[in-house]
Amino acid sequence: MKVTRPVQRTVIDYAYFTGRTEAEQSVDIKARVTGYLVSVDFVPGAEVEKDQQLFEIDPRPYQAALDVANGQVNLAEAQLVLAKADLARAQEVAKTPGAISKKDIDKYIAAESEAEASKEAALANAEAAKLNVEFTRLNSPIQGEVSRNLLTIGNLVTQDQTLL
């Protein structure tokens, strides 16, 4: 029969493992418009509220495009008013037999329809330009802790590509 004596030593009751943690919710912030970064409105590592502004891209080119689009809306509205007035005059003249041809009446009706379509297109362009102005301000989509900004003021941000 063989007998051994127990060894006496310190036992470690823990172990080290490699691992990582991940946030429950995580959002990558990318710009929806292209332009130069003009402000970073948070401190890295700070808590942010939902809809708090984080970045701003230079809105001036997009504001100018919005102003042009609004001018196009005003122009289209004026053309529509003129087309309606021309059609009303033509219809009044048409009450006198032979004073105006049916073809001319049809032209005035088509001109009014064209002016209405032009106005609708101008309104849609203005709405798109307005959205681009709004997209120059990047807000936090969730409440939580913001990590760090990958770009500093003055850098070019590319639409749907640059990770901020």
Side-chain angles (χ1 to χ4, degrees):
M1 167 184 275
K2 212 174 191 189
V3 176
T4 58
R5 293 197 155 262
V7 177
Q8 210 173 13
R9 67 178 172 196
T10 307
V11 178
I12 300 173
D13 60 352
Y14 61 89
Y16 292 102
F17 294 97
T18 303
R20 68 179 198 191
T21 59
E22 189 173 309
E24 183 179 329
Q25 289 184 332
S26 176
V27 178
D28 289 336
I29 304 294
K30 291 185 180 180
R32 296 175 80 178
V33 293
T34 296
Y36 289 95
L37 199 59
V38 294
S39 73
V40 177
D41 303 313
F42 67 92
V43 176
E47 289 286 324
V48 293
E49 296 296 319
K50 184 177 185 327
D51 296 325
Q52 178 180 333
Q53 183 170 313
L54 302 176
F55 300 96
E56 184 176 18
I57 296 169
D58 189 1
R60 295 175 300 172
Y62 297 103
Q63 184 62 51
L66 176 59
D67 294 342
V68 168
N70 286 334
Q72 293 296 327
V73 169
N74 292 338
L75 178 63
E77 287 174 345
Q79 290 172 339
L80 179 59
V81 168
L82 177 62
K84 285 182 177 186
D86 286 345
L87 178 59
R89 279 191 294 277
Q91 288 173 334
E92 189 63 34
V93 169
K95 291 179 182 175
T96 305
I100 191 169
S101 70
K102 175 71 173 140
K103 180 180 177 182
D104 287 340
I105 295 289
D106 290 342
K107 284 182 182 179
Y108 288 118
I109 291 171
E112 181 185 26
S113 295
E114 182 181 343
E116 285 178 10
S118 178
K119 178 184 172 188
E120 292 301 316
L123 285 169
N125 285 336
E127 184 61 28
K130 181 181 173 192
L131 283 173
N132 282 339
V133 169
E134 292 173 6
F135 290 156
T136 61
R137 292 178 301 281
L138 287 86
N139 299 331
S140 175
I142 60 173
Q143 177 182 349
E145 184 178 320
V146 66
S147 62
R148 63 187 179 97
N149 50 307
L150 300 175
L151 294 178
T152 55
I153 294 173
N155 281 292
L156 179 64
V157 176
T158 305
Q159 174 182 354
D160 296 326
Q161 292 180 5
T162 306
L163 185 60
L164 298 169

